[in-house]
C-alpha cells in the first residue's frame, strides 16, 4: 500500500514537473534578433516612428511618492520622467544634454546660469518660466524636501523671464546633472498651491504625459499631453504602467500579451528570452554595482591591511562568469568601463597569497566577521560565492541574511555590523557618487575613512566644470579610496535588461539604468 | 431570545477589537527598522531624523501613540500613508473591494468543490470515486498555492491564452472580465479550502450516515438522496461551518501571496508593501480591517451554529 502511494505520488509529481517544463521552453526557436542590442540602440533601426496607439508596461515597483521632493526610492524615476520634464537631460552615456534649460554656462565656479526654453507649459496651463524654476529649486532646498543634491546652492535669482542664476556657497560640478534627477523635475507651482498636502496624489508637470489615474500598487495611466513642447512627441496616445513586483508575473504578462514591455529581466531569464523570436531584449550596462560596504571603525576593518587583503581575496571575474552568464563586469572602481568618469587602468587582481601577506603584516591570521546580506536569492548567491572564495586567504564570513530595510538600518544608522553586501544604486553625476560613497562625510562611507589628499581631490573635482579634467580626478580618487584605502569593496556591475514585443520601438537603455518609456512607438 | 443572543455576541466583539488592535500596534512597532529612516534614506542626518520622528509622533510612548491612533480611528480617521500621503481609509476601502471579490469567489469554489468531492466519496466508500476525492483532498492541502498559481498561469494564460495572466477587473465594471480575471486566483486560493471541506465533510458525513436515526430513515423507506440532504447534511455541516469560518481568515492571509503572483491590487499587496516600507499607519489600517472582517465572520459562524443546531443554548 505504502509503495503504491509512493509510486502514484512520484508519477503525479513527474506530470506536474513535465507541465512546468513544457511551458518554460515552449518557444525554443532558432536564432534570434536581439544580438545587436548590447549597445542599447536595438529597436530604433529602419522605419520612421509612427504616431498613435498605446502600450502596457510592466514595472517592478510603484512610485513611493509622485511629488519629486518627497519620494525616496531610486525606482521612482522611470515613472516620474513621463510626467515631469527635467531642466537638464542626460544621454545614454550619462552626459548632460539640453532639457527645459536650453543651455547653461558657468561664468565663474560659484555661479551657474540657466537659459530656459520658451513656450513650455505645465499640464494645467501654467507657463513654465524663470519664476517657476525658482519656485521649484527653492522647494527642493526647503525643509520639507527629501533631496540634498542642491545643498551647495545659496540662492536662486530670476534674471529675466527666461534666465535663472544659481549662486553657490561653494563650487559644485554635480549640480548640472543633479538637475536631470529629482531636483530638476519641474512641478507646476499653481498645482502645488492648489493641492497642498494632496499634491502627491495630483501631480502636474511639463512632461509628455499626464497622470490620469493611479491605483496604488496596481496601475498608473498616463495620457499624452497635447501641448507638449516638443513638436510631434510623444508618439503614443497613452501608456498604462502595471505594477508587478514578481518577475515571473511580468514575464507571464508579456508572454500572454497583457503587456508589451517589461523592465528588469534577470540574467537567468535573459538567457532564455534571447532565443525567443517573439521577444526583443535591450541590454545596457549601468552605473550601479554590487558592493560590500565596510565600516572602517569596526574590527576587523579598522586595519587598512585587512581591508586591502579582503579586496584581493575576491575573484570578481569568476563571480561575473558564474552568476551573470558573463553579462556583468567585474568592478574595481565605482564606475563601469563605458562611463566617461571611469579610469581604464584600475584593477584589483585576485591574489589570495597577497591577501595572506597583508593579513600577516597586520598581525592577524584568521579573520572572522559578520556580513549583512539581504535575504533575496541573488544577493545570497553572491554572498555565498564570496564567502567561499575568501576562505583561502583566511577570511571567515558569517553571513547574516536580513530583510533589506532592517539590515540597512543596522549597518548605516545603528552601525552594529561591520560589513554589508548590498549595492550602490548609481547617481547621474560622478561627483554625487564620490560625495556620498567615497568622501569622509559621505552617508555611505559609514566609518568616515578618508585622507587629506582624497578630500582635496574631491573638492577639486567639485570645482571643475570640464569633463576631461573631472574624469582624471575621479580616476585618481577611485585609486586612492578603493585600491589604497580600500574603504569599500565593489564586486560587479550588471546590466539592466528590458524585454518587449518586437513591434515596440524607440527604446534604448541608459547608463543610469532607469528606463525612459516616454518616446516609445509602435510599428504596425 | 435570539436578538439577545445576537446582542451579546456583538458585545464580545468590542473587547476583542481593542485587544487585537493593541497587540497589532505593539507588534508593528517591534518590526526592526524605523519609518523615519526608511523615509529619509541617505538624507538621514540626526537632526532630520529627530525632527521627522517628532512630526510623525514616533517619539511618544507606545501607549500614547496607540491612544491617539484609537481616538482618531473611532472617528473614522485612520491617518495618512507616510509615503504616498493618501488617506489610509480610502486606500484600504478601495483594496478591500478587490480582495473581497477574490476571497468570496474562492470561498464559493471551495464550498462547491468540497461538497462535490465529499459526497462522491461517501456514495461508495473505498471505490475509485472515493480514492479520487481523497486524492484531491490531500493534493489541495499539500500543494503550495503560489506554485499551483504559477503552473496554472503558464498553462492557461501563456500557453493556451484563455485567461489573463495578471490583473483584476471588478464585477461592477465588467462581469465577464471579472470572471476571467478571478478564475485562476480564486481557484488557487480556494484549492486548500476545497480540500479541507472535502476531508472534513467526508468524515463527518460517514459518521452521521452511520448513526441510528439514518438507519431509521432508510427503514422508513426514504431514498438515498433525501437521506443525505435532509438528515445527513444538516448534521454533518456543523464542523464544516467552523472550518469555513477559519478558512476565511486563512484566505485573507493567503491573498498576500496570490495577489502578488497575479498582480492584483488588493489588501495583500498593500499589506506587504506597507511592511517593506515601514508605512505603519497604512499597515495598521490594513490589519484593522482584516481583523474586523475575521471577527464578523466569526460572529456569523456563531450565529449559524445556533441556526443549524437548535440544541445549542442561546443564552
Amino acid at each position: 500500500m505504502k509503495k503504491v502511494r509512493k509510486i502514484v505520488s512520484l508519477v503525479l509529481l513527474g506530470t506536474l514537473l513535465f507541465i512546468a517544463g513544457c511551458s518554460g521552453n515552449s518557444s525554443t526557436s532558432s536564432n534570434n534578433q536581439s544580438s545587436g542590442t548590447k549597445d542599447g540602440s536595438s529597436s530604433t533601426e529602419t522605419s520612421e516612428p509612427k504616431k498613435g496607439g498605446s502600450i502596457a508596461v510592466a514595472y517592478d515597483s510603484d512610485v513611493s511618492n509622485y511629488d519629486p521632493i518627497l519620494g525616496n526610492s531610486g525606482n521612482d524615476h522611470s515613472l516620474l520622467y513621463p510626467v515631469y520634464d527635467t531642466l537638464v537631460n542626460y544621454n545614454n552615456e550619462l552626459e548632460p544634454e539640453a532639457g527645459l534649460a536650453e543651455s547653461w554656462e558657468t561664468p565663474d565656479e560659484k555661479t551657474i546660469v540657466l537659459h530656459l526654453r520658451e513656450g513650455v507649459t505645465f499640464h494645467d496651463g501654467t507657463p513654465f518660466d524663470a519664476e517657476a524654476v525658482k519656485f521649484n529649486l527653492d522647494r527642493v532646498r526647503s525643509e520639507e524636501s527629501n533631496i540634498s543634491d542642491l545643498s551647495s546652492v545659496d540662492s536662486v535669482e530670476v534674471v529675466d523671464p527666461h534666465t535663472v542664476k544659481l549662486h553657490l556657497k561653494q563650487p559644485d560640478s554635480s549640480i548640472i546633472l543633479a538637475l536631470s534627477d529629482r531636483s530638476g523635475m519641474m512641478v507646476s507651482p499653481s498645482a502645488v498651491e492648489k493641492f497642498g498636502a494632496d499634491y502627491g496624489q495630483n501631480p502636474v508637470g511639463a512632461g509628455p504625459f499626464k497622470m490620469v489615474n493611479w491605483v496604488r500598487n496596481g496601475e498608473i495611466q498616463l495620457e499624452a499631453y497635447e501641448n507638449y513642447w516638443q513638436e510631434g512627441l510623444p508618439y503614443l496616445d497613452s501608456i498604462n504602467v502595471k505594477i508587478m513586483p514578481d518577475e515571473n508575473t511580468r514575464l507571464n504578462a508579456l508572454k500572454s500579451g497583457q503587456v508589451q514591455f517589461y523592465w528588469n529581466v534577470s540574467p537567468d531569464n535573459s538567457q532564455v528570452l534571447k532565443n525567443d523570436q517573439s521577444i526583443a531584449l535591450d541590454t545596457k550596462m549601468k552605473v550601479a554595482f554590487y558592493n560590500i560596504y565596510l565600516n572602517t571603525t569596526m574590527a576587523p576593518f579598522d586595519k587598512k591591511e585587512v581591508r586591502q587583503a579582503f579586496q584581493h581575496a575576491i575573484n570578481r571575474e569568476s563571480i561575473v562568469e558564474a552568476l551573470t552568464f558573463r553579462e556583468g563586469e567585474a568592478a574595481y572602481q565605482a564606475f563601469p568601463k563605458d562611463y566617461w568618469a571611469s579610469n581604464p587602468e584600475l584593477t584589483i587582481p585576485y591574489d589570495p597569497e597577497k591577501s595572506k601577506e597583508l593579513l600577516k603584516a597586520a598581525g592577524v591570521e584568521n579573520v572572522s566577521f559578520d556580513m549583512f546580506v539581504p535575504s533575496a536569492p541573488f544577493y545570497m548567491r553572491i554572498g555565498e560565492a564570496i564567502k567561499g572564495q575568501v576562505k583561502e586567504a583566511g577570511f571567515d564570513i558569517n553571513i547574516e541574511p536580513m530583510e533589506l530595510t532592517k539590515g540597512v538600518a543596522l549597518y548605516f544608522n545603528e552601525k552594529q555590523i561591520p560589513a554589508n553586501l548590498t549595492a550602490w544604486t548609481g547617481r547621474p553625476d560622478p561627483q554625487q557618487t564620490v560625495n556620498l560613497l567615497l568622501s569622509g562625510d559621505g552617508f555611505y562611507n559609514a566609518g568616515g575613512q578618508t585622507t587629506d589628499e582624497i578630500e582635496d581631490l574631491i573638492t577639486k573635482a567639485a570645482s571643475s566644470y570640464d569633463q576631461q579634467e573631472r574624469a582624471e580626478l575621479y580616476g585618481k580618487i577611485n585609486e586612492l579610496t578603493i585600491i589604497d584605502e580600500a574603504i569599500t569593496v565593489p564586486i560587479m556591475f550588471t546590466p539592466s535588461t528590458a524585454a518587449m514585443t518586437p513591434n515596440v520601438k524607440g527604446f534604448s537603455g541608459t547608463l543610469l539604468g532607469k528606463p525612459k518609456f516616454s518616446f516609445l512607438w509602435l510599428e504596425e | 431570545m435570539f436578538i439577545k443572543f445576537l446582542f451579546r455576541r456583538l458585545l464580545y466583539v468590542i473587547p476583542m477589537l481593542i485587544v487585537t488592535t493593541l497587540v497589532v500596534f505593539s507588534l508593528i512597532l517591534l518590526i526592526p527598522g524605523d519609518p523615519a529612516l526608511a523615509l529619509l534614506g541617505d538624507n538621514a542626518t540626526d537632526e532630520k531624523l529627530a525632527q521627522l520622528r517628532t512630526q510623525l509622533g514616533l517619539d511618544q510612548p507606545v501607549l500614547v501613540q496607540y491612544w491617539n491612533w484609537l481616538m482618531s480611528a473611532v472617528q473614522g480617521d485612520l491617518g495618512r500613508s507616510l509615503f504616498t500621503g493618501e488617506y489610509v481609509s480610502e486606500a484600504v476601502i478601495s483594496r478591500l473591494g478587490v480582495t473581497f471579490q477574490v476571497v468570496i469567489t474562492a470561498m464559493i469554489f471551495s464550498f462547491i468543490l468540497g461538497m462535490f468531492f465529499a459526497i462522491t466519496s461517501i456514495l461508495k466508500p473505498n471505490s475509485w470515486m472515493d480514492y479520487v476525492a481523497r486524492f484531491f483532498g490531500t493534493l489541495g492541502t499539500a500543494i503550495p498555492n503560489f506554485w499551483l498559481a504559477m503552473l496554472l498561469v503558464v498553462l492557461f494564460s501563456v500557453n493556451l491564452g484563455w485567461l489573463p495572466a495578471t490583473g483584476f477587473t471588478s464585477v461592477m465594471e465588467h462581469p465577464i472580465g471579472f470572471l476571467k480575471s478571478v478564475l485562476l486566483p480564486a481557484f488557487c486560493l480556494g484549492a486548500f479550502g476545497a480540500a479541507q471541506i472535502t476531508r472534513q465533510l467526508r468524515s463527518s458525513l460517514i459518521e452521521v450516515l452511520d448513526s441510528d436515526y439514518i438507519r431509521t430513515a432508510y427503514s422508513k423507506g426514504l431514498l438515498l438522496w433525501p437521506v443525505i440532504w435532509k438528515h445527513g447534511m444538516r448534521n454533518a455541516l456543523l464542523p464544516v461551518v467552523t472550518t469555513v469560518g477559519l478558512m476565511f481568515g486563512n484566505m485573507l492571509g493567503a491573498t498576500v501571496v496570490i495577489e502578488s503572483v497575479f498582480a492584483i491590487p488588493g489588501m495583500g499587496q498593500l499589506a506587504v508593501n506597507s511592511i517593506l516600507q515601514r508605512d505603519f499607519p497604512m499597515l495598521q489600517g490594513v490589519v484593522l480591517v482584516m481583523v474586523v472582517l475575521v471577527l464578523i465572520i466569526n460572529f456569523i459562524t456563531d450565529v449559524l451554529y445556533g441556526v443549524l443546531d437548535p440544541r445549542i443554548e442561546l443564552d
Side-chain angles (χ1 to χ4, degrees), chain A residues 12 20 23 64-65 72 145-146 148 197-198 201 216-217 244 249 252 256 258 403 405-406 413 427 443-444, chain B residues 32 37-39 42-43 48 80 83-84 86 95 135 151 153-154 157-158 164-166 261 269 273 276 278:
Chain A
L12 279 165
S23 44
S64 66
N65 196 313
N72 66 345
S145 163
N146 204 4
S148 54
D198 291 325
Q201 271 81 256
R216 271 58 164 200
N217 296 305
M244 303 182 182
T249 309
N252 287 333
S256 64
Q258 282 193 298
E403 181 256 334
T405 316
K406 179 186 170 191
N413 305 101
R427 293 292 185 278
F443 178 83
Y444 292 88
Chain B
L37 281 179
L39 267 169
D42 53 29
N43 295 311
K48 268 201 156 182
R80 276 174 178 239
F83 288 82
T84 56
E86 62 182 321
R95 305 313 172 74
F135 170 72
L151 286 188
V153 165
V154 166
S157 312
V158 177
T166 59
V261 173
Q269 282 219 338
N273 270 299
L276 290 179
R278 308 292 189 269

Side-chain angles (χ1 to χ4, degrees), chain A residues 23-184:
Chain A
S23 44
N25 31 19
S26 54
S27 44
T28 35
S29 43
S30 65
N31 269 328
N32 101 70
Q33 74 293 4
S34 58
S35 48
T37 56
K38 283 278 188 273
D39 57 347
S41 57
S42 66
S43 13
T44 35
E45 329 96 4
T46 57
S47 48
E48 279 287 295
K50 285 190 181 62
K51 228 172 143 54
S54 57
I55 66 165
V57 167
Y59 196 66
D60 44 7
S61 57
D62 202 356
V63 177
S64 66
N65 196 313
Y66 245 113
D67 187 340
I69 67 161
L70 292 180
N72 66 345
S73 159
N75 279 339
D76 288 355
H77 293 70
S78 295
L79 305 180
L80 299 175
Y81 291 144
V83 176
Y84 299 112
D85 261 15
T86 47
L87 285 174
V88 175
N89 274 334
Y90 58 86
N91 64 12
N92 290 356
E93 307 312 316
L94 266 183
E95 291 157 331
E97 277 185 349
L100 289 178
E102 268 176 326
S103 63
W104 51 86
E105 73 234 0
T106 45
D108 62 79
E109 56 185 26
K110 281 165 75 177
T111 311
I112 297 175
V113 181
L114 301 171
H115 300 284
L116 307 175
R117 207 170 283 283
E118 296 183 28
V120 177
T121 54
F122 290 102
H123 302 156
D124 60 357
T126 311
F128 166 79
D129 55 18
E131 286 296 340
V133 173
K134 179 173 164 56
F135 174 88
N136 269 283
L137 297 185
D138 286 345
R139 195 165 176 265
V140 168
R141 301 184 302 125
S142 70
E143 194 82 314
E144 51 165 343
S145 163
N146 204 4
I147 306 173
S148 54
D149 290 343
L150 299 188
S151 54
S152 46
V153 175
D154 188 39
S155 65
V156 181
E157 181 196 339
V158 174
V159 179
D160 64 53
H162 299 290
T163 313
V164 171
K165 208 181 248 183
L166 308 187
H167 298 283
L168 309 184
K169 293 176 206 155
Q170 72 260 355
D172 187 351
S173 57
S174 75
I175 287 192
I176 299 296
L177 270 171
L179 293 178
S180 75
D181 208 320
R182 285 177 185 280
S183 317

Side-chain angles (χ1 to χ4, degrees), chain B residues 6 45 62 64 108 133 136 155 218 225-226 314:
Chain B
L6 278 184
T45 57
V62 177
V64 175
I108 295 174
F136 279 107
L155 183 64
Y218 276 129
W225 284 108
L314 291 184

Side-chain angles (χ1 to χ4, degrees), chain A residues 354-375:
Chain A
K354 185 171 179 184
S355 296
K356 278 185 207 162
E357 278 166 32
L358 281 162
L359 286 184
K360 216 184 232 168
V364 285
E365 228 165 70
N366 286 304
V367 183
S368 135
F369 62 92
D370 292 343
M371 179 164 83
F372 152 58
V373 180
S375 45

